[in-house]
Amino acid sequence: ADVALLRRTLMADGVPAGNITILANEPVEGVTNAAAPTRDNIVVALGALARTLKAGDEVMIYYSGHGSQVPDQPNGDESGAGGDRFDEILLPSDAAKSTDGKAVPNELRDDDLDRLLTKIRARGAFVWLVVDACNSDTVSRGGPGLGKVRVRGVSPGDLDLRADRPAYRGGGGVRSSGFSLPEVGAKAGVGGFVGFYAAGADQVAVEAPLPSYPYKGESHGLLTYHLVAAMRQHYAASYEQLASAIRKGYGSFPTTSLPSVSAMPSPRFEGDLGRKPMAGTGAGKPWYPVELRDQILYLAAGAADDVHDGSIIALMTRDAPGGTLIGYTRVVGATLRESRLEPIRYAGTPAFDLKAFADANRCRAGQACVDGRIEALKANFVLSVVLDDRSEDREAQERLRKAYE
């Protein structure tokens, strides 16, 4: 669901479908030829980028799945001062349990990813890395109106790795070291780098049905869902503004869905955050197809696109640059991925009738050519308390959160 949601968002933002490469082990809406996300396929795909990209190009590399940790080897980059003696790993679809307690077959280490991304940046291309994963134990709980909440991580013990790190000894709890590539962003003289990560140290990367009540949405990673929501607002002038919107989204997540307040996820961001984003900027608003069925107008966007009842949608033809306005509509029946529309008078423009829509929708040899552009959103307001995650006063955080639950 994450991959399909992000793909739809990028395409609505003007990225051609042919410029998006998908590796997935589950069906993805609109994609028929996706290869499996095995380690070899991931390495080959990243290698192809390193050969074809040129200076000034921008690429988003996105991973949604599980991660874990293995003992640092063989370069010992985590063994010095400040190191934790463990490498972070991503788990491709063909990863398996360890046979020697030290490594996972077909793992993708942070060191490996560093080398692959450095080759891309050496071409002068900018890399935006988004990792919606963590290295925590797997837990499953529910929250009010949320259904099943899961954590994207696999503990070293579950992979038959040597659990000699104190944080992994003993029974339950939530443990994670996060995932980041600070050495990639620190290298100068090559293409730029920005990294977005779902969780920080000792936190979890959460996935849950989003949006929640009353839509019963599909299961999405918290980072992915709020990243997409921020991109679809089309206001961000920098990666830092996208990051700020994501932090606010995390702050609205019910803490009752997690084992403890200390596990409340806090996303991490690094790199050139002042740079203008490659997508989700103020350059324009997303467009979605509109069709007439049984004398009712439908927009191919819904709650998953932050479109709710009361949102105002401008209907435009694609027969001229910027489109030609037909009129405005109001959303009167939003579902997860589709919304029912009614024509309205808005901004001094009279309400149009369905015949006018049908006539405008035949401007290309019978092909549909009308899209809907989000003009004004009707938000579902949620009271959120965003706490400073650097505070050590966990008891105070617990009391404050309970006061608002």
Side-chain angles (χ1 to χ4, degrees):
D2 278 353
V3 173
L5 181 64
L6 183 58
R7 179 177 180 270
R8 291 177 67 211
T9 301
L10 291 172
M11 291 176 61
D13 205 60
V15 177
N19 286 10
I20 303 175
T21 299
I22 302 291
L23 302 179
N25 54 4
E26 296 180 354
V28 176
E29 177 187 0
V31 179
T32 58
N33 59 347
T38 63
R39 187 186 192 283
D40 284 349
N41 285 344
I42 293 173
V43 171
V44 167
L46 293 178
L49 289 175
R51 292 190 300 273
T52 58
L53 292 177
K54 60 184 183 300
D57 286 344
E58 297 179 305
V59 61
M60 177 191 222
I61 297 172
Y62 170 79
Y63 176 86
S64 171
H66 290 295
S68 192
Q69 290 181 311
V70 293
D72 182 34
Q73 61 170 340
N75 59 4
D77 63 331
E78 297 290 347
S79 300
D84 62 2
R85 298 183 294 111
F86 280 77
D87 275 334
E88 280 70 54
I89 63 171
L90 300 180
L91 298 173
S93 62
D94 55 346
K97 288 189 175 184
S98 176
T99 58
D100 60 4
K102 298 179 180 179
V104 173
N106 297 316
E107 68 190 14
L108 187 62
R109 293 193 180 226
D110 53 1
D111 300 325
D112 300 328
L113 192 55
D114 172 23
R115 287 188 287 270
L116 291 165
L117 298 188
T118 297
K119 289 180 180 179
I120 295 173
R121 296 181 62 217
R123 304 271 299 186
F126 170 82
V127 172
W128 182 14
L129 176 67
V130 179
V131 179
D132 200 343
C134 72
N135 313 310
S136 71
D137 285 346
T138 300
V139 299
S140 178
R141 293 190 58 178
L146 278 174
K148 188 167 288 187
V149 178
R150 300 184 184 276
V151 168
R152 295 181 168 180
V154 180
S155 72
D158 289 338
L159 294 169
D160 289 345
L161 292 162
R162 293 174 183 170
D164 56 354
R165 182 179 183 178
Y168 289 110
R169 294 184 189 140
V174 178
R175 303 171 284 276
S176 172
S177 71
F179 186 98
S180 65
L181 293 173
E183 63 273 21
V184 176
K187 292 177 179 175
V190 289
F193 175 83
V194 163
F196 280 28
Y197 311 105
D202 300 318
Q203 295 174 337
V204 297
V206 173
E207 71 173 47
L210 294 167
S212 55
Y213 181 83
Y215 298 105
K216 298 181 181 179
E218 298 173 304
S219 186
H220 292 294
L222 203 58
L223 174 64
T224 302
Y225 182 79
H226 289 296
L227 169 62
V228 164
M231 291 170 63
R232 287 176 170 177
Q233 294 298 316
H234 282 78
Y235 76 90
S238 67
Y239 284 100
E240 178 55 47
Q241 288 189 352
L242 285 178
S244 179
I246 292 170
R247 292 188 190 102
K248 291 179 181 178
Y250 269 56
S252 67
F253 190 79
T255 58
T256 50
S257 302
L258 298 174
S260 68
V261 170
S262 63
M264 184 66 187
S266 177
R268 299 180 63 187
F269 310 97
E270 61 188 14
D272 185 9
L273 298 177
R275 183 186 180 105
K276 181 180 177 180
M278 59 180 289
T281 69
K285 298 179 180 179
W287 298 72
Y288 300 99
V290 177
E291 65 174 322
L292 182 63
R293 300 199 308 263
D294 299 325
Q295 298 302 298
I296 298 174
L297 292 170
Y298 290 93
L299 178 76
D305 309 282
D306 206 23
V307 174
H308 304 279
D309 286 4
S311 296
I312 305 300
I313 309 297
L315 268 55
M316 317 280 289
T317 65
R318 297 190 294 249
D319 57 352
T324 300
L325 179 68
I326 299 174
Y328 294 95
T329 61
R330 178 187 292 113
V331 175
V332 293
T335 62
L336 186 64
R337 295 194 179 278
E338 188 176 66
S339 299
R340 186 160 49 90
L341 307 175
E342 67 173 7
I344 61 169
R345 178 183 179 87
Y346 182 81
T349 301
F352 62 90
D353 58 30
L354 295 182
K355 183 178 184 303
F357 171 85
D359 291 342
N361 207 30
R362 289 194 294 266
C363 61
R364 281 189 189 171
Q367 296 182 2
C369 61
V370 174
D371 283 338
R373 186 187 70 191
I374 299 172
E375 193 70 20
L377 290 172
K378 177 69 173 180
N380 288 339
F381 292 98
V382 177
L383 175 64
S384 303
V385 179
V386 182
L387 297 169
D388 186 349
D389 59 16
R390 295 171 296 182
S391 171
E392 296 299 322
D393 190 354
R394 297 299 185 187
E395 292 184 2
Q397 292 189 27
E398 182 77 41
R399 289 193 300 272
L400 184 56
R401 288 188 187 277
K402 284 185 176 179
Y404 286 91
E405 289 173 355

